[in-house]
Amino acid sequence: MNVAEFCEKVGTTRDTLRLYDQIGLLKPKRNHNNYRNFSVEDQKAFAIIRNLQRASLTLEEIKIVLELRDKPITDDCHTNTQKFLKNKRNEFQKKRDFYEQLLVVTDEMSNALDDSQTDMEQFIEKFGEIE
């Protein structure tokens, strides 16, 4: 499919596709006019990119992950990938803990709103205590 069709299908812009092509995240084939021709595989790669972005990975980190699909797993690659994944897992755990604390505080605030005598200031202050 051409650029316009692909943009519409995946909900992105031409500029984004151009960037992803330039940095090697997406590698669409070229037709005889040298226009990009996107495939179903490109759609799958784009979905992976979007989900990894939602998980706060940088484009550089996403490129590393995508390259794992095409490379044999050498000892160095295995070690580096394990280290990368452990670091990311720790980051995700910290974010998860933060959001769990945020859920507790917002639930407390929501429940407190049912009581007209509640001092909201004390609940709002709790947002500053979340780590």
Side-chain angles (χ1 to χ4, degrees), residues 70-101:
D70 303 326
K71 289 183 178 178
I73 305 295
T74 63
D75 287 341
D76 283 343
C77 177
H78 180 271
T79 301
N80 292 339
T81 302
Q82 282 287 65
K83 182 179 177 183
F84 170 76
L85 291 173
K86 286 179 183 176
N87 287 339
K88 280 294 158 190
R89 187 192 187 292
N90 288 339
E91 284 180 37
F92 296 154
Q93 184 65 48
K94 286 178 185 174
K95 285 182 182 184
R96 179 179 157 203
D97 293 346
F98 169 79
Y99 283 112
E100 284 179 355
Q101 291 176 53

Side-chain angles (χ1 to χ4, degrees), residues 44-87:
K44 291 177 184 177
F46 189 86
I48 292 168
I49 293 166
R50 279 291 155 99
N51 284 331
L52 293 176
Q53 283 180 313
R54 288 178 60 208
S56 301
L57 271 71
T58 66
L59 293 179
E60 185 176 312
E61 292 170 329
I62 293 169
K63 186 175 181 182
I64 292 168
V65 172
L66 290 175
E67 287 174 349
L68 289 173
R69 298 184 311 167
D70 303 326
K71 289 183 178 178
I73 305 295
T74 63
D75 287 341
D76 283 343
C77 177
H78 180 271
T79 301
N80 292 339
T81 302
Q82 282 287 65
K83 182 179 177 183
F84 170 76
L85 291 173
K86 286 179 183 176
N87 287 339

Side-chain angles (χ1 to χ4, degrees), residues 14-45:
R14 291 174 184 264
D15 289 338
T16 298
L17 294 181
R18 205 172 289 119
L19 172 66
Y20 289 178
D21 190 8
Q22 286 173 349
I23 63 176
L25 286 179
L26 284 178
K27 300 170 189 168
K29 291 189 174 26
R30 301 279 183 153
N31 65 17
H32 64 281
N33 294 334
N34 205 29
Y35 291 153
R36 291 176 187 90
N37 187 22
F38 293 91
S39 67
V40 172
E41 287 304 312
D42 293 320
Q43 275 185 266
K44 291 177 184 177

Side-chain angles (χ1 to χ4, degrees), residues 89-123:
R89 187 192 187 292
N90 288 339
E91 284 180 37
F92 296 154
Q93 184 65 48
K94 286 178 185 174
K95 285 182 182 184
R96 179 179 157 203
D97 293 346
F98 169 79
Y99 283 112
E100 284 179 355
Q101 291 176 53
L102 193 58
L103 282 170
V104 169
V105 172
T106 54
D107 284 345
E108 288 176 357
M109 286 181 71
S110 180
N111 293 335
L113 285 172
D114 293 337
D115 179 6
S116 61
Q117 302 299 317
T118 299
D119 179 11
M120 291 307 291
E121 184 176 343
Q122 75 183 44
F123 286 102

